[in-house]
Amino acid sequence: MNRLLKFFKNNWIILSILLVGFFLLVYKPFELFMYTHDQDLAGWLVKDVLINHHFRLIGQQTSSMGIFIGPVIYYLQIPFYLIANMDPAGPLALAVILGVFTIFSFYYVFSKVFNKRVGLLSALIYSLSVVIVFTDRDMNPTMPVMLWTVWYFYSLWKILKGNQKFYILIGFLFGLIWDLNLALAI
């Protein structure tokens, strides 16, 4: 119990930021839920996988005819569709999980690259930004781009510091480019 209290005492600022970020991500989830083309497409893809047993190697078509992104974001949504009994609002839970993890990632990465104060400030700005909060609530393939970016930045920093193990993370992140946003390749 003492260790838990000490942990909360030493990390109360980042825990508060994560709590505020969590609250903003879950505030009025159904009233502010945006059902758009992306949710419609995800629902059809998930139905196709679960009911028709037609596993996909491609996701949605991009704005360029004949170019498709990968299906990873849709496969990540399947458990949340199952838990929500195929309700398209089910993946909101995935969006919240990824959003809170992104806030923590900003704290962690910027604390390591710069210092703890910069890490706290970056997490606070990220968690309070209205545009980012609404972007993180919308479960679509480009939603995890900020998460991808912060870890890409960290990997590059570690590689420049001489840590060769981070080439593995860079390779993984490059593999996700096809699934998130082809513009990340640039």
Side-chain angles (χ1 to χ4, degrees), residues 121-133:
L121 186 60
S122 67
L124 181 66
I125 290 170
Y126 189 89
S127 68
L128 294 178
S129 171
V130 174
V131 173
I132 290 175
V133 168

Side-chain angles (χ1 to χ4, degrees), residues 5-24:
L5 288 173
K6 186 177 177 183
F7 174 78
F8 282 114
K9 185 177 178 183
N10 291 338
N11 298 295
W12 71 272
I13 298 174
I14 186 58
L15 292 173
S16 300
I17 292 170
L18 290 170
L19 191 62
V20 167
F22 174 78
F23 172 76
L24 292 175

Side-chain angles (χ1 to χ4, degrees), residues 35-163:
Y35 187 83
T36 63
H37 172 71
D38 289 315
Q39 286 71 34
D40 186 48
L41 190 65
W44 282 107
L45 192 138
V46 168
K47 175 198 170 283
D48 205 27
V49 169
L50 292 176
I51 295 171
N52 301 335
H53 307 290
H54 178 235
F55 293 92
R56 303 284 189 95
L57 294 177
I58 60 171
Q60 76 182 49
Q61 183 169 310
T62 64
S63 56
S64 300
M65 292 296 290
I67 299 177
F68 294 82
I69 61 169
V72 167
I73 200 73
Y74 301 111
Y75 282 111
L76 286 175
Q77 293 180 49
I78 288 175
F80 298 94
Y81 269 96
L82 288 172
I83 291 168
N85 198 21
M86 297 302 282
D87 187 333
L92 284 173
L94 175 61
V96 169
I97 292 167
L98 290 175
V100 171
F101 182 65
T102 304
I103 295 168
F104 177 77
S105 295
F106 267 81
Y107 165 72
Y108 180 82
V109 167
F110 285 94
S111 291
K112 296 293 183 183
V113 173
F114 301 106
N115 59 47
K116 189 173 180 176
R117 179 184 278 173
V118 173
L120 289 169
L121 186 60
S122 67
L124 181 66
I125 290 170
Y126 189 89
S127 68
L128 294 178
S129 171
V130 174
V131 173
I132 290 175
V133 168
F134 278 98
T135 300
D136 279 358
R137 292 171 66 115
D138 185 19
M139 193 68 244
N140 64 55
T142 59
M143 179 261 180
V145 165
M146 294 295 276
L147 179 63
W148 183 95
T149 304
V150 75
W151 285 105
Y152 180 72
F153 173 70
Y154 184 66
S155 299
L156 288 178
W157 179 74
K158 290 298 270 185
I159 289 168
L160 289 173
K161 292 288 222 176
N163 193 333

